[in-house]
Structures are given as structure tokens and as C-alpha cells.
């Protein structure tokens, strides 16, 4: 790494000129332009080149840096690596400045012109006087037949700057751009821009229109340009390639706002360079370019946008540029995110108009800022009431939208144990107040004569809200994932990873235990590890999560991870404006209902596939069950070392398997078959194919686009809805792809460092304090 002295030094960068070699071998540099670049401390050669490139509006590719040794003007030294750069700086460390020469991969011999001695002038035939040629302001034809009037490619037009349009033009050759051959399948979209610049005399309504045409023209012909003058009255542009004669000058006509091309050298002698967006294209320009593409494919990915622009136009975009351009295009097509909130009243009306029986309602705060939106479609409501078990899973998912927010969801389990969306809401944040509002709206659509079991967290006011709104009509089953996560968090700093893993596994086993004896054994195992953890478990209200004590029916579903269905959907749409995001969720629900309806018509079994498989497994185990004796409708059966009592009339077994799952256990199946009864007749009705099909019988209908402009002045009595006044946190929004603790006991346990010497947590042997002693 090159170390630059702390004394400030300036590098005078000579660029664009030529060397002359004198008779004594010394060289002098003439022409070109000079730029000053500061040498910072710890600067490397790559950083130095980058500073130069930004200063002279060029690129680092092919850049060559040379310099003279102090007192030696005969030998140019090339700087090719950091060591050379350090040596150059050391040579001039006592000076305030040093002179370097910037070149572009050209051998030095080609640029050096040896100064020849003066010769006697000789008489030569006088050449005809060169005339000034002017390009006619007409479109360039795609093919021009060869003629005496055509200008050869190696004879650039020299046009003087003037304020008047000179009539009588010489046509441009058919191909004045001798650049690399481009594949015919590439850059097809850019061909429409090839003739946007036609030559001297062409008029534009403004300089902005001229600049836009020039940008597209350069993309079509695959070359970059730089502004030599870019003012409010005139614009002068030249080809960026070094030594290329192409240039153009346009200015406003006096007393008018029209802009006219005054001079133009239309011929290139370079091979052109691919037009790169970071050099010229802005977010708005690219956004307008891809507007129709985003309209046709709203979910197109930024990387696909960059690929298509490269293919169709030869424009290079990085990921963030493509993403910002997509955002701009989407805002232009759909209105801004803010305008989307103002469409909520009309959007809710459209939902209920196109889907009768649905509920779509929103509320605002005192300042009319958006607060929450609740949506439940009629097909979801009827499907839950007709074919789903009275079991609802409540969950939440953060939104990665411009105005942030949370998605609250209510999901049911269909007869095949698939997630069935019932209702969802968009709120500004997850609070007790918002959950209470969500449950109030939910009760309007899921009112059932029986009791409903809710599987949900017990925090954020859910416990109190469920009791307050549904009262004795519901059971609240604590989500085992949330419970285990809280246990792990409360005890994390006191136990090793293995100890915590064992305690969480015992907690899961205690929750699944059907009998009191099994529950007590699991809790005693926890007590053997930690009496503190045992007390925590006993105080955590087991009547809300342990099968032994729970009074409701949750069909052995212990966690609320059914909400993951909504997460997978919203993760693809949460960057859309709110109305389009809601419609995207509607489309997902519509497709889900249709797909499962079609699939179920192909089933040939009485039960749904997953339940059919579970029942067959129990039938196989029933072959090993021994029936000891019977008394009325009750039977004593033995399976291995266990003895259970089966009550056929009440569909009950002391193992609680029949009650917990809704399917007859192996003990019950053995008794039923001994009496010639079919176990299929004793399965819960929710698992039959007919019931499953009734779940997906209704459809969700499309919603026409809401194309109503919101007036700046709201009508009397109308509510003007605005986005929530949320503050976006610094950095990128983080979203958990799999909610912690929802799948199993080991999915959220992160291993802590444990010292191999003192066995303490949070450090290793190298950082152990005992080493210091």
C-alpha cells in the first residue's frame, strides 16, 4: 500500500495532448487539458486512477499513468502497480506537486512526434479550396445509393457554428457509425431511435427535448457522449471516445423557444462503447422507458428488468438502479403510494359489490390517517362455516412496504390439514387495540352456534381481547411455539445450549401428553434440570396449552404456524401500493380455492388423502389390539403393556387419541371391527371428501380496477384517507422468513459459546478470564 506523506500534494494530470521529441532526446508535452487531483493519505494506484477518471469524465479501463523522473525529461516511467505509485510519490515528497500524464493504452511511440529540422519549401500544385458542407435537416434514409454527392466515411463534415440555417445540404452516408457489429437479435428496441437526430437544421421545442433525443440516439448507435457545454441557451456535445471527431451543437433560435441543431460532425472513427446507464440515465428516464413492461408484468424482478434493458437497448443497469426505476414506473402507472390510500373507500365498496356477503371495512385516526383495514370474502366465510373445523389460528406478519405496517391473519384448517384463509387485516402496528378491533370484526363473519378454539399467542392483549369479545364461546389455546420461545428467552442466560434444548423438548412432550401421568413425568424431567424452569412451566397456565388440561378441541394442532401461508403470499406483494397488495392477496385466495376444488374432484376415497393415510395406519395397529371384555358400550382393550377403555357410543377412548385427532384410534377401531362397524362412519365429518368439497364450493370474484381520480378538494362529508405517519427505521427492513419457534423445539435454539475450560457461557477458552490469572 502506498503511503503518501502527510504534507498535502497535488497531482497535475495532463490529458489529451501529444509529446514532441527534440534533437537532444528530451520531450515536451503540448495541447490537451490539465486537471488537479489531490493525493490523499494511504491512496493506492486504483484509487488514484478512479479519482482521475471522475475528474476527466472517463473510465479506469485502459488508463495508463506515466511521469518523468526529477530532472529527467527523456524517459517516461510507467506506473503499473502500487509499488510504482509509492516510488513516484517518494521521488516528489519534498515538492508541493507532481506532473503525471494520462493515456489510453496507446503505445508511446504512436503518440510521440519527433521534431524534424526545417526544410526548404517546395512548390506543389495548389489544392482546390475546401468548402463547408452542411447536413440537410431531413431524416437519414436507411439506405442511400452510392453517388458522387455522398460523403466518404473517412471524410468528416466540417461545419462552422452559425446562428442561421444554411440551405443546400450534402446527404450523410448510409452508415456514418462504423462501430462493432451488433447481433441482429440484440438492441432491436433501440432501432426506433436511430433517426431521432437527422442533422443541421432539425428543430426541437426545447433543450430538454433535444437532450432526450440525443440520449436515445446515442443508445441506438451504441456510443457515449460528454457535454462540452450544457447551458440554458445552448448545448455542445462530443463523442466520449478519445480522438473521435463526432460532435453536435444546438442552441435556441433568437426571439423564440425553439432549439435548432446548428452544427454537426456526423461521422465516428471509433468503435463505439456500450451505453451504460450509470453515466447518463436517471431513475425517471429509465422508469418511463420500462413503464409498459411494468404495466404488463407488475411482479417483474429488478434483475429481469436489467437483463431486458441490456438485451433490447444495450443499457447496463445494476440491481438498485433497476429497482428504483421499477418503483418510479409503478408510481407513474398506479399513482403514488399515498394516492393508493385515498382509494380505500372506493376499493372496499368494490370488494363488497363484486363479492356479496363479504366484509371490507377500514378505520382512520382523528387526523384521517389510515389506521386499519379488515377484509373477509364471502367464499372464505362460507367455506369456514360449512367445511372447516371450529378452529382458528391467529398470527401476524410484518410488511416491507413504504409505510410499514403489520398483517393480522385468521386462518383455519381444512379437512386435509391445509391452511384455509378466513380473514386478514392491515394495521399500522401490532397492538392490543388493533387486535381487539380485528377480533371484533372477525366475530361478525365467523359467528357459529358452537364454541371456537383459537390458537394464538397470549401476549399483545390477545388473552384479554378474546375473553372480552368471544366470552364463553371460545377456547384460547396458547401457541406452543410462542410459549417455548418465551421460555428460551427467559432462561437463555442461565443454561447451556444442550440444557435449554432438553427443557424445550420436555415442554413439547408435556403439551402433547394426553394423560396426567405423562404430563407430570415431563415436568419432573424439567425440574431435574432446573427447579426455576419447572416453576416457570407450572405458572404458565397449562390449562391453555397442555392436552391433559385443555377443555377445547384443537385437533392436535399446537402452534399457529398456519399463518405462514399469508406470509408466503404477502412477501411477494408487500412492496405494492396498499390497494394492489390487497388485490394480490385476493387473487392468491381465489387461485387457492379454485385449485383445491378441482383437485378434490379427482379423489376416490371417502376421507381426504392425509386423513385416509392416518386412518389406515391406525387400522394396521388395531390388528395387535386385544379386546378383554365389554360392559354395555364400554370395552376394555389391551395394546402392548397399556390398557384403555373405549366408549363406542360417546366416541371416546381413555388414550384421548380419538378426541384429540377426530379419527378413531387403534383401540376404537379394534372394537368397531369386532362388531362389524366401519371406522369410516366414526370419523369426524370434517375429514370427509364431501365436506372438503363444500369448503371450496364458493368462489372469490375478480375486482375491477378502481380508476377514480381523487380530487384535491374532498367532497362535503367525505373522508380523505392518508397513509399512517410512520417513520421508516434506518437500514433495510428485516423480515423473518420462518417465524421463530413455530415448527419444532430446535428451530429457534441458537447455540451459545461455551468455554471448554471453565464451562461458562458467552466466551471460549481463548477469552476465558481464568487465563489471565
Amino acid at each position: 500500500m502506498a503511503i503518501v506523506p502527510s504534507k498535502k500534494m497535488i497531482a497535475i494530470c495532463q490529458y489529451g495532448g501529444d509529446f514532441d521529441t527534440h534533437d537532444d532526446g528530451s520531450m515536451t508535452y503540448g495541447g490537451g487539458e490539465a486537471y488537479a487531483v489531490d493525493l490523499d493519505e494511504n491512496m493506492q494506484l486504483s484509487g488514484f486512477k478512479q479519482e482521475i477518471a471522475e475528474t476527466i469524465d472517463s473510465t479506469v479501463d485502459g488508463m495508463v499513468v506515466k511521469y518523468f523522473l526529477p530532472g529527467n525529461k527523456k524517459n517516461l516511467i510507467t506506473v503499473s502497480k502500487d509499488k510504482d505509485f509509492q516510488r513516484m510519490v517518494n521521488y516528489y515528497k519534498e515538492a508541493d506537486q507532481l506532473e503525471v500524464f494520462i493515456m489510453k493504452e496507446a503505445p508511446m511511440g504512436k503518440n510521440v512526434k519527433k521534431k524534424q529540422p526545417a526544410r526548404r519549401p517546395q512548390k506543389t500544385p495548389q489544392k482546390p479550396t475546401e468548402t463547408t458542407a452542411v447536413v440537410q435537416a431531413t431524416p437519414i434514409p436507411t439506405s442511400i445509393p452510392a453517388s458522387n454527392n455522398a460523403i466518404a466515411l473517412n471524410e468528416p463534415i466540417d461545419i462552422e457554428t452559425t446562428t442561421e440555417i444554411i440551405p443546400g445540404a450534402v446527404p450523410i452516408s448510409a452508415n456514418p457509425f462504423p462501430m462493432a457489429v451488433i447481433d441482429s437479435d440484440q438492441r432491436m428496441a433501440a432501432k426506433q431511435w436511430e433517426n431521432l437526430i437527422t442533422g443541421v437544421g432539425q428543430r426541437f421545442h426545447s433543450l430538454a427535448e433535444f437532450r432526450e433525443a440525443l440520449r436515445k440516439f446515442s443508445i441506438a448507435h451504441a456510443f457515449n457522449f460528454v457535454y462540452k457545454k450544457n447551458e440554458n441557451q445552448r448545448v455542445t456535445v462530443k463523442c466520449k471516445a478519445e480522438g473521435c471527431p463526432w460532435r453536435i451543437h444546438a442552441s435556441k433560435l433568437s426571439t423564440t423557444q425553439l432549439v435548432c441543431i446548428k452544427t454537426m460532425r456526423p461521422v465516428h472513427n471509433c468503435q463505439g462503447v456500450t451505453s451504460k446507464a450509470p453515466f447518463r440515465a436517471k431513475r425517471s428516464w429509465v422508469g418511463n422507458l420500462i413503464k409498459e413492461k411494468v404495466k404488463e408484468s407488475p411482479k417483474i424482478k429488478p434483475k429481469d428488468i436489467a437483463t431486458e434493458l441490456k438485451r433490447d437497448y444495450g443499457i447496463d443497469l445494476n440491481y438498485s438502479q433497476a429497482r428504483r426505476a421499477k418503483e418510479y414506473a409503478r408510481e407513474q402507472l398506479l399513482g403514488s403510494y399515498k394516492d393508493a390510500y385515498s382509494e380505500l373507500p372506493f376499493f372496499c365498496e368494490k370488494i363488497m359489490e363484486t363479492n356479496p356477503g363479504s366484509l371490507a371495512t377500514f378505520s382512520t385516526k382523528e387526523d384521517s390517517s389510515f389506521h386499519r383495514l379488515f377484509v373477509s370474502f364471502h367464499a372464505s366465510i362460507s367455506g369456514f362455516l360449512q367445511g372447516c373445523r371450529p378452529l382458528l389460528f391467529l398470527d401476524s406478519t410484518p410488511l416491507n412496504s413504504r409505510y410499514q405496517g403489520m398483517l393480522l391473519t385468521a386462518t383455519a384448517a381444512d379437512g386435509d390439514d391445509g391452511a384455509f384463509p378466513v380473514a386478514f387485516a392491515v394495521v399500522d402496528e401490532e397492538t392490543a387495540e388493533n387486535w381487539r378491533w380485528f377480533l371484533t370484526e372477525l366475530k361478525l363473519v365467523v359467528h357459529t352456534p358452537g364454541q371456537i378454539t383459537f390458537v394464538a399467542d397470549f401476549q399483545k392483549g390477545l388473552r384479554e381481547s378474546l375473553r372480552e369479545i368471544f366470552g364463553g364461546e371460545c377456547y384460547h389455546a396458547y401457541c406452543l411455539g410462542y410459549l417455548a420461545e418465551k421460555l428460551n428467552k427467559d432462561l437463555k442466560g442461565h443454561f447451556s445450549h444442550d440444557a435449554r434444548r432438553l427443557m424445550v423438548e420436555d415442554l413439547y412432550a408435556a403439551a402433547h401428553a394426553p394423560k396426567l401421568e405423562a404430563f407430570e413425568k415431563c415436568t419432573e424431567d424439567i425440574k431435574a434440570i432446573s427447579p426455576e424452569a419447572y416453576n416457570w412451566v407450572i405458572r404458565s397456565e397449562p390449562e391453555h396449552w397442555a392436552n391433559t388440561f385443555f377443555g377445547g378441541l384443537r385437533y392436535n394442532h399446537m402452534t399457529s404456524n398456519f399463518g405462514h401461508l399469508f406470509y408466503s403470499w404477502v412477501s411477494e406483494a408487500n412492496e405494492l401500493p396498499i390497494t394492489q397488495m390487497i388485490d394480490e392477496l385476493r387473487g392468491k385466495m381465489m387461485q387457492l380455492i379454485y385449485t383445491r376444488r378441482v383437485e378434490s374432484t379427482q379423489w376416490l376415497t371417502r376421507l381426504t388423502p392425509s386423513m385416509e393415510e392416518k386412518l389406515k395406519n391406525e387400522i394396521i395397529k388395531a390388528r395387535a389390539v386385544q379386546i378383554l371384555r365389554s360392559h354395555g358400550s364400554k370395552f376394555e382393550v389391551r395394546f402392548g403393556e397399556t390398557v384403555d377403555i373405549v366408549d363406542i357410543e360417546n366416541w371416546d377412548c381413555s388414550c384421548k387419541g380419538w378426541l384429540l385427532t377426530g379419527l378413531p384410534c387403534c383401540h376404537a377401531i379394534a372394537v368397531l371391527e369386532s362388531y362389524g362397524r366401519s371406522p369410516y362412519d366414526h370419523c369426524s365429518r370434517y375429514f370427509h371428501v364431501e365436506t372438503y368439497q363444500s369448503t371450496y364450493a364458493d368462489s372469490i370474484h375478480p375486482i375491477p380496477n378502481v380508476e377514480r381520480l381523487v380530487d384535491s378538494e374532498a367532497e362535503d362529508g367525505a373522508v380523505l384517507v392518508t397513509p399512517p405517519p410512520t417513520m421508516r427505521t434506518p437500514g433495510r427492513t428485516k423480515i423473518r422468513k420462518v417465524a421463530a419457534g413455530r415448527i419444532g423445539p430446535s428451530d429457534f435454539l441458537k447455540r451459545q459459546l461455551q468455554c471448554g475450560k471453565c464451562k461458562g457461557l458467552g466466551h471460549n477458552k481463548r477469552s476465558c478470564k481464568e487465563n489471565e490469572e
Side-chain angles (χ1 to χ4, degrees):
M1 180 180 291
I3 306 299
V4 179
S6 59
K7 182 180 179 180
K8 185 175 181 181
M9 185 182 296
I10 296 176
I12 305 301
C13 303
Q14 302 282 356
Y15 177 71
D18 293 311
F19 284 95
D20 286 334
T21 303
H22 302 282
D23 295 337
D24 59 355
S26 63
M27 289 183 286
T28 57
Y29 189 85
E33 298 177 348
Y35 301 90
V37 175
D38 292 331
L39 291 177
D40 297 331
E41 293 184 0
N42 301 324
M43 179 177 283
Q44 296 177 287
L45 178 59
S46 59
F48 181 63
K49 285 185 174 182
Q50 187 61 42
E51 287 285 338
I52 296 174
E54 294 175 359
T55 302
I56 66 176
D57 197 8
S58 181
T59 61
V60 176
D61 298 337
M63 180 183 294
V64 178
V65 178
K66 294 178 179 290
Y67 70 100
F68 285 120
L69 292 173
N72 183 349
K73 296 293 185 179
K74 297 182 179 180
N75 301 103
L76 279 169
I77 309 300
T78 302
V79 180
S80 59
K81 52 184 179 293
D82 288 336
K83 192 173 182 180
D84 296 336
F85 181 71
Q86 181 182 13
R87 186 180 296 110
M88 176 186 72
V89 174
N90 289 337
Y91 284 146
Y92 288 90
K93 62 183 178 181
E94 300 300 330
D96 294 332
Q97 62 185 34
L98 63 88
E99 188 178 35
V100 296
F101 306 95
I102 311 303
M103 304 172 188
K104 282 285 187 181
E105 283 187 345
M108 202 58 224
K110 292 185 178 182
N111 288 333
V112 177
K113 299 178 182 179
K114 188 170 182 178
K115 191 172 183 179
Q116 300 293 335
R119 295 183 179 180
R120 182 180 300 176
Q122 299 179 358
K123 294 183 179 181
T124 57
Q126 186 175 1
K127 294 182 180 181
T129 305
E130 294 184 357
T131 59
T132 299
V134 182
V135 182
Q136 187 177 0
T138 56
I140 304 174
T142 55
S143 61
I144 301 177
S147 66
N148 296 333
N149 293 330
I151 302 176
L153 294 181
N154 58 355
E155 296 179 4
I157 302 174
D158 187 8
I159 306 173
E160 298 296 332
T161 302
T162 177
T163 57
E164 298 180 359
I165 308 301
I166 304 177
V170 179
I172 301 176
S173 175
N175 182 21
F177 306 99
M179 289 167 280
V181 178
I182 301 171
D183 191 340
S184 59
D185 294 333
Q186 303 290 322
R187 305 168 60 94
M188 294 299 296
K191 288 185 176 297
Q192 60 182 314
W193 300 337
E194 287 183 346
N195 297 326
L196 288 181
I197 300 294
T198 58
V200 172
Q202 185 180 3
R203 300 178 186 180
F204 301 89
H205 291 92
S206 64
L207 283 173
E209 182 184 342
F210 169 70
R211 294 186 187 100
E212 177 70 9
L214 184 61
R215 181 184 294 112
K216 292 179 178 179
F217 181 78
S218 67
I219 292 174
H221 293 285
F223 71 95
N224 273 334
F225 60 85
V226 293
Y227 285 102
K228 303 302 291 182
K229 290 184 176 65
N230 190 13
E231 303 169 358
N232 58 2
Q233 295 291 327
R234 58 182 179 173
V235 171
T236 303
V237 174
K238 66 181 292 291
C239 179
K240 190 173 182 180
E242 185 176 357
C244 182
W246 187 95
R247 63 185 293 122
I248 190 170
H249 173 82
S251 62
K252 287 185 178 182
L253 294 174
S254 59
T255 70
T256 72
Q257 293 298 319
L258 293 178
V259 174
C260 183
I261 297 178
K262 300 296 181 61
T263 65
M264 180 176 180
R265 294 175 182 266
V267 179
H268 290 264
N269 64 7
C270 61
Q271 292 300 312
V273 289
T274 302
S275 181
K276 294 186 178 181
F279 171 67
R280 192 64 60 191
K282 296 181 179 179
R283 168 180 176 266
S284 57
W285 188 85
V286 181
N288 286 323
L289 185 63
I290 64 172
K291 185 186 298 183
E292 291 303 316
K293 175 63 65 177
V294 175
K295 184 177 182 180
E296 295 172 3
S297 305
K299 291 165 47 178
I300 187 172
K301 298 179 180 178
K303 65 178 181 180
D304 296 330
I305 291 176
T307 300
E308 293 191 15
L309 286 178
K310 175 66 176 178
R311 181 195 64 203
D312 296 339
Y313 299 96
I315 299 175
D316 287 319
L317 287 181
N318 58 37
Y319 181 87
S320 32
Q321 287 171 324
R323 177 179 56 81
R324 290 194 295 268
K326 178 186 175 182
E327 289 177 355
Y328 181 87
R330 192 162 53 200
E331 290 174 2
Q332 296 300 306
L333 289 169
L334 305 174
S336 66
Y337 287 86
K338 182 177 180 180
D339 292 338
Y341 282 91
S342 62
E343 296 174 355
L344 279 177
F346 319 117
F347 190 73
C348 290
E349 291 176 6
K350 287 291 183 181
I351 290 177
M352 293 187 288
E353 177 184 331
T354 55
N355 291 269
S358 302
L359 179 61
T361 180
F362 69 97
S363 67
T364 60
K365 297 180 180 179
E366 293 181 358
D367 59 356
S368 296
S369 62
F370 171 77
H371 192 195
R372 45 207 173 193
L373 167 70
F374 179 90
V375 178
S376 184
F377 293 95
H378 173 70
S380 297
I381 300 169
S382 62
F384 171 72
L385 298 178
Q386 296 178 28
C388 291
R389 288 158 275 181
L391 178 67
L392 283 174
F393 305 89
L394 305 180
D395 209 349
S396 62
T397 298
L399 298 176
N400 188 27
S401 62
R402 176 166 295 187
Y403 293 101
Q404 304 174 10
M406 296 290 294
L407 185 77
L408 308 183
T409 63
T411 315
D414 63 22
D416 199 38
D417 268 352
F420 181 79
V422 176
F424 62 89
V426 178
V427 298
D428 50 355
E429 54 185 338
E430 188 177 10
T431 62
E433 178 189 359
N434 284 336
W435 269 118
R436 185 179 299 107
W437 177 84
F438 176 78
L439 293 173
T440 301
E441 299 296 326
L442 184 65
K443 188 176 181 180
L444 298 176
V445 297
V446 298
H447 47 81
T448 59
Q451 294 177 322
I452 301 178
T453 297
F454 291 93
V455 181
D457 189 11
F458 57 91
Q459 301 183 85
K460 302 181 179 70
L462 274 169
R463 176 169 45 192
E464 295 76 17
S465 297
L466 281 170
R467 188 183 304 119
E468 173 188 339
I469 296 168
F470 286 88
E473 300 176 9
C474 77
Y475 288 96
H476 183 187
Y478 293 168
C479 173
L480 190 57
Y482 281 116
L483 191 70
E485 188 175 11
K486 191 171 190 308
L487 171 64
N488 175 60
K489 181 179 179 181
D490 292 347
L491 305 177
K492 183 176 180 180
H494 306 286
F495 302 95
S496 67
H497 175 83
D498 290 335
R500 289 184 292 113
R501 177 178 57 81
L502 291 174
M503 284 189 291
V504 172
E505 289 177 354
D506 290 337
L507 177 67
Y508 268 68
H512 285 87
K515 298 181 180 180
L516 179 61
E517 297 81 8
F519 175 83
E520 290 178 344
K521 180 183 181 303
C522 295
T523 54
E524 287 296 326
D525 290 341
I526 295 176
K527 188 175 183 179
I529 301 175
S530 167
E532 179 186 2
Y534 171 82
N535 293 332
W536 189 98
V537 171
I538 297 302
R539 292 194 301 267
S540 63
E541 302 175 298
E543 64 272 17
H544 286 281
W545 55 268
N547 282 336
T548 304
F549 307 105
F550 188 66
L553 293 176
R554 58 180 176 182
Y555 298 88
N556 224 23
H557 287 288
M558 312 300 287
T559 63
S560 59
N561 63 319
F562 270 73
H564 187 71
L565 173 71
F566 273 104
Y567 168 78
S568 62
W569 288 348
V570 79
S571 62
E572 301 177 5
N574 57 13
E575 292 187 0
L576 297 174
I578 185 170
T579 51
Q580 190 178 4
M581 182 188 72
I582 300 303
D583 196 50
E584 185 77 10
L585 294 179
R586 178 205 57 80
K588 295 288 187 182
M589 295 171 65
M590 179 179 67
Q591 184 65 32
L592 176 73
I593 291 175
Y594 171 78
T595 301
R596 291 183 177 175
R597 183 196 307 133
V598 173
E599 289 176 349
S600 64
T601 60
Q602 308 298 320
W603 295 345
L604 302 177
T605 56
R606 290 185 61 182
L607 303 183
T608 60
S610 64
M611 297 305 165
E612 183 78 19
E613 183 179 357
K614 291 179 181 179
L615 183 63
K616 287 182 176 180
N617 291 334
E618 292 298 317
I619 292 174
I620 294 173
K621 291 192 292 184
R623 298 169 185 171
V625 174
Q626 180 184 3
I627 304 174
L628 298 181
R629 66 175 184 272
S630 64
H631 177 72
S633 64
K634 295 183 179 181
F635 298 83
E636 183 178 338
V637 297
R638 184 184 297 274
F639 182 69
E641 299 296 328
T642 63
V643 177
D644 289 287
I645 305 299
V646 176
D647 188 346
I648 294 297
E649 297 301 326
N650 295 317
W651 291 29
D652 188 27
C653 178
S654 59
C655 74
K656 287 195 174 182
W658 201 349
L659 177 66
L660 293 176
T661 64
L663 294 173
C665 60
C666 61
H667 314 115
I669 292 174
V671 175
L672 290 170
E673 289 182 338
S674 68
Y675 275 81
R677 297 185 184 182
S678 172
Y680 287 93
D681 296 333
H682 292 76
C683 296
S684 172
R685 73 176 184 88
Y686 300 110
F687 302 148
H688 287 264
V689 172
E690 293 84 355
T691 305
Y692 182 93
Q693 291 174 341
S694 67
T695 304
Y696 296 98
D698 291 328
S699 300
I700 297 178
H701 304 296
I703 302 173
N705 292 329
V706 181
E707 297 181 352
R708 172 173 174 177
L709 296 177
V710 180
D711 298 332
S712 57
E713 296 182 2
E715 299 177 1
D716 294 340
V719 178
L720 182 61
V721 184
T722 59
T726 54
M727 295 293 293
R728 192 173 184 89
T729 55
R732 188 174 182 177
T733 303
K734 296 181 180 179
I735 296 181
R736 294 187 299 185
K737 291 189 176 180
V738 177
R742 310 296 175 81
I743 307 301
S746 60
D747 290 314
F748 59 89
L749 291 173
K750 294 184 179 179
R751 182 176 293 275
Q752 282 185 297
L753 284 176
Q754 185 173 16
C755 180
K757 184 175 182 180
C758 70
K759 306 303 180 183
L761 298 176
H763 66 276
N764 54 21
K765 290 192 296 185
R766 180 176 297 180
S767 58
C768 183
K769 294 182 179 180
E770 292 189 6
N771 292 336
E772 301 176 359
E773 300 176 359

